[in-house]
Amino acid sequence: MTNFKKGQKRIALTAMLAFGTFSYAQVGINTANPRAILHVDGAKDNPATGTPSAAQQSNDFVVTSAGNVGIGTESPAGALDVQSVTGGFIPPRMTTTQRQNITSPTAGTMVYDTTLSQFYYYSGVQWESLVPVAPSAKIFQIVRKNTNQTIPTADTSGDITFDTTSGQGTGVSVNNAIITLPAGKTFLVTGYLAIGSTSNSTQSWARYEIVDAALNNSSTCIVASRGYNEPSTETNNDSSGGPALCVINTGTSAKNIKLRITAKRNDANVVTTSIADPYAETAVLIQEL
C-alpha cells in the first residue's frame, strides 16, 4: 500500500510538471520548430531547427508572447506586421451606400469604396477620400444674384434664380434656380438672403431654406431655415437673422438643390437683391469639405 501511494505521488508530480511545461510551450502547426507562442507554417517548409529563411517565413503566421501578429514574418515589429513581395493588403470592400451605412464608425476606419474606386477613411467627423485633391480642384463657389427678383405677396414658395457662378474649383453647375452638386463629395452649403420691400412704409419678412430640388422640401438639411426682418425705413438692405446652412453628402449620384423662400409677411412684395458684400447678398456659398 505504501509503494502504491508513492507511485500515485510520482504520477501526480509528473503530470504537474508536464502540464506546467505545456502551459508555457510554443505551439506549432505544420512545424516542429515553432518560433512564437503560436506558429503556423503554411507550406510546411520550415527547417527542423534554427531560423527559417525569408522565403520560408513568407507563408508563415505567428502570434508572439507580446500579442503581436506577424504574417510573412516570425518577428513582427508591431501589433500587426504583414510582409510580402507577392501580394498586398486588401481592406474591406463595399459600395458607397454600404460604407455610409456603417453604424458609428471609429475614427481611422478604412475601406475600399467599390462604387467610386477609392480608399476612404473615417476622420471622426466624416468619410474622407485618401486620393489627394489639389487645392485648385477643391470646390469653392459662390452662386450669386446680380439682378433683383420680386417674390409676389401671394407667393410663399419662391425659388431664387441665379445669374453667375464664381470661385475656384470645378464640378458645380447652375441652371436658373437649380444648383447641381457632383457625386461622391461632401459640401458645406450656406445660403445668404438680402431682401427689401417694395414700399419703404411697410416691413417685409421672409423665411428661406436650402432644399432638395426634386423633393422640394427641407430633407436635404437638418437645419436650413432662417428668417429676416427688413427695417421699414430702408429697401434692399441686408437684414439680421443669419444664413441658412447645411452639410450635404451627395453619395453615389449628383444632387440638385435650391434656395427657396418658404414663408413671408403678406403686407408687401419681397425683393431679393444683390449688393457688394458676397456674404450678405442673395447668394449660395459652396465649399467642399
Side-chain angles (χ1 to χ4, degrees):
M1 179 65 72
T2 300
N3 290 336
F4 178 74
K5 288 183 177 179
K6 289 182 178 178
Q8 282 184 319
K9 290 180 179 178
R10 283 195 295 268
I11 292 172
L13 179 61
T14 301
M16 289 174 63
L17 292 173
F19 179 76
T21 301
F22 178 77
S23 298
Y24 292 96
Q26 294 176 323
V27 177
I29 299 176
N30 275 353
T31 177
N33 178 30
R35 309 286 294 176
I37 292 296
L38 174 63
H39 189 161
V40 180
D41 179 10
K44 202 176 182 179
D45 59 355
N46 287 359
T49 60
T51 303
S53 67
Q56 290 168 331
Q57 291 183 48
S58 66
N59 55 66
D60 290 7
F61 171 90
V62 302
V63 179
T64 70
S65 58
N68 293 341
V69 175
I71 300 176
T73 175
E74 67 169 31
S75 304
L80 175 62
D81 188 348
V82 181
Q83 298 186 26
S84 176
V85 294
T86 59
F89 168 69
I90 302 176
R93 291 159 288 177
M94 61 189 71
T95 66
T96 298
T97 300
Q98 291 168 333
R99 169 172 59 82
Q100 293 173 340
N101 286 339
I102 295 177
T103 302
S104 302
T106 301
T109 299
M110 186 172 72
V111 302
Y112 182 77
D113 189 312
T114 56
T115 304
L116 302 173
S117 301
Q118 292 184 19
F119 288 96
Y120 275 81
Y121 73 95
Y122 191 71
S123 68
V125 178
Q126 63 182 20
W127 288 100
E128 302 277 3
S129 172
L130 288 180
V131 178
V133 179
S136 59
K138 296 284 280 188
I139 294 174
F140 178 90
Q141 301 281 11
I142 299 177
V143 183
R144 290 185 175 89
K145 277 195 65 60
N146 288 328
T147 58
N148 290 349
Q149 178 183 345
T150 300
I151 305 297
T153 300
D155 190 347
T156 59
S157 59
D159 297 339
I160 308 301
T161 58
F162 298 98
D163 306 301
T164 61
T165 302
S166 62
Q168 70 177 34
T170 57
V172 173
S173 62
V174 181
N175 182 14
N176 295 322
I178 305 300
I179 302 172
T180 301
L181 305 175
K185 297 180 182 294
T186 301
F187 299 95
L188 173 64
V189 181
T190 311
Y192 299 88
L193 184 67
I195 65 172
S197 169
T198 54
S199 170
N200 286 349
S201 62
T202 312
Q203 193 175 58
S204 297
W205 185 93
R207 183 170 293 278
Y208 68 103
E209 61 186 0
I210 298 165
V211 300
D212 185 298
L215 300 176
N216 203 40
N217 62 33
S218 57
S219 63
T220 298
C221 307
I222 297 174
V223 178
S225 185
R226 292 292 184 270
Y228 271 12
N229 287 309
E230 182 67 17
S232 61
T233 57
E234 300 180 41
T235 59
N236 298 343
N237 185 58
D238 176 42
S239 310
S240 61
L245 63 96
C246 59
V247 174
I248 298 175
N249 189 315
T250 55
T252 58
S253 58
K255 183 178 288 291
N256 293 327
I257 62 172
K258 62 185 178 181
L259 186 66
R260 182 183 69 170
I261 291 179
T262 56
K264 68 183 193 62
R265 284 180 57 170
N266 290 330
D267 54 6
N269 293 340
V270 169
V271 179
T272 65
T273 186
S274 175
I275 56 179
D277 183 356
Y279 292 93
E281 66 185 347
T282 299
V284 173
L285 176 67
I286 301 162
Q287 296 170 279
E288 182 185 345
L289 298 177

